[in-house]
């Protein structure tokens, strides 16, 4: 076992981990952060997407030892500090972009990473940014609409990169 330190959902923390663990395994099985889903387990579906140092990453392929010093955001860290939904989550609800919900956490975090990088993406850029996330309900139209609706907001309302605001 090894001790590593990192920032998880804005909280600096230390954890004792088994080097063979993936980040997904650590989050779900040892932190009880089960909002991050396991789909394929092999980097194909995007259900396990989290944000690491500002980038959308498949946590099923990410070795936990590489989390040392990283800033990690999971779906549990996306909501506002007062517990209200992030504007992206609200937009997903408003346009019906949540169907079975299994891919939704990963979709939201890929969209968040996209908007942090490019707050006003075109439809093509949104589709490209979400290309690694598969929706088994095939509800892509509403998902793209939700991200488009957010991309018209001022950046401070999108709360771009909240973990860097401190
Ligand atoms: S579970 Fe990680 S990409 Fe499918």
């Amino acid at each position: 076992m090894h001790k590593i330190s990192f920032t998880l959902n804005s909280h600096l923390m230390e954890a004792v981990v088994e080097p063979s663990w993936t980040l997904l395994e650590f989050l779900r099985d040892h932190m009880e952060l089960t909002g991050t889903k396991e789909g394929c387990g092999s980097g194909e579906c995007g259900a396990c997407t989290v944000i690491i140092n500002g980038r959308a990453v498949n946590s099923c392929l990410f070795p936990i030892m590489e989390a040392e010093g990283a800033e990690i955001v999971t779906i549990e860290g996306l909501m506002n500090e007062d517990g209200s939904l992030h504007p992206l989550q609200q937009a997903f609800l408003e346009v019906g972009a949540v169907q079975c919900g299994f891919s939704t956490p990963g979709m939201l975090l890929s969209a968040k990473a996209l908007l942090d990088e490019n707050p006003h993406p075109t439809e093509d850029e949104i589709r490209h940014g979400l290309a690694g996330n598969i929706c088994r309900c095939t509800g892509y139209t509403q998902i793209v609409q939700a991200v488009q609706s957010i991309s018209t907001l001022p950046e401070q309302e999108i709360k771009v990169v909240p973990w860097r605001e401190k």
Side-chain angles (χ1 to χ4, degrees):
M1 301 293 271
H2 290 258
K3 186 186 283 186
I4 62 172
S5 59
F6 49 88
T7 302
L8 179 59
N9 296 335
S10 301
H11 299 290
L12 185 61
M13 59 181 296
E14 289 186 335
V16 177
V17 300
E18 185 66 48
S20 63
W21 291 348
T22 63
L23 177 57
L24 175 64
E25 192 176 354
F26 171 71
L27 292 171
R28 286 186 58 85
D29 299 345
H30 302 280
M31 295 298 295
E32 298 184 359
L33 293 174
T34 54
T36 305
K37 303 303 182 199
E38 179 168 13
C40 65
S42 59
E44 300 291 333
C45 73
C48 64
T49 301
V50 299
I51 298 176
I52 302 177
N53 298 333
R55 295 197 163 179
V57 171
N58 289 330
S59 62
C60 70
L61 297 181
F62 194 87
I64 188 62
M65 294 303 289
E66 291 186 21
E68 173 66 42
E71 292 184 62
I72 302 166
V73 178
T74 69
I75 192 63
E76 290 85 354
L78 188 61
M79 69 175 65
N80 299 315
E81 281 181 8
D82 64 1
S84 60
L85 295 179
H86 184 277
L88 256 176
Q89 294 172 302
Q90 194 62 45
F92 268 55
L93 286 179
E94 285 171 7
V95 305
V98 179
Q99 293 178 50
C100 83
F102 195 82
S103 69
T104 305
M107 286 283 185
L108 283 165
L109 291 174
S110 288
K112 178 69 169 68
L114 170 67
L115 291 168
D116 287 346
E117 184 79 27
N118 177 6
H120 308 292
T122 64
E123 180 178 342
D124 280 352
E125 288 169 335
I126 294 169
R127 289 186 182 277
H128 181 76
L130 300 181
N133 294 79
I134 295 172
C135 169
R136 60 187 180 185
C137 310
T138 68
Y140 296 101
T141 300
Q142 296 95 321
I143 290 166
V144 172
Q145 279 173 0
V147 180
Q148 274 180 313
S149 74
I150 286 295
S151 69
T152 61
L153 294 176
E155 290 174 29
Q156 63 271 25
E157 288 189 37
I158 308 172
K159 295 186 171 47
V160 170
V161 206
W163 56 95
R164 290 186 197 151
E165 285 176 356
K166 297 182 198 130

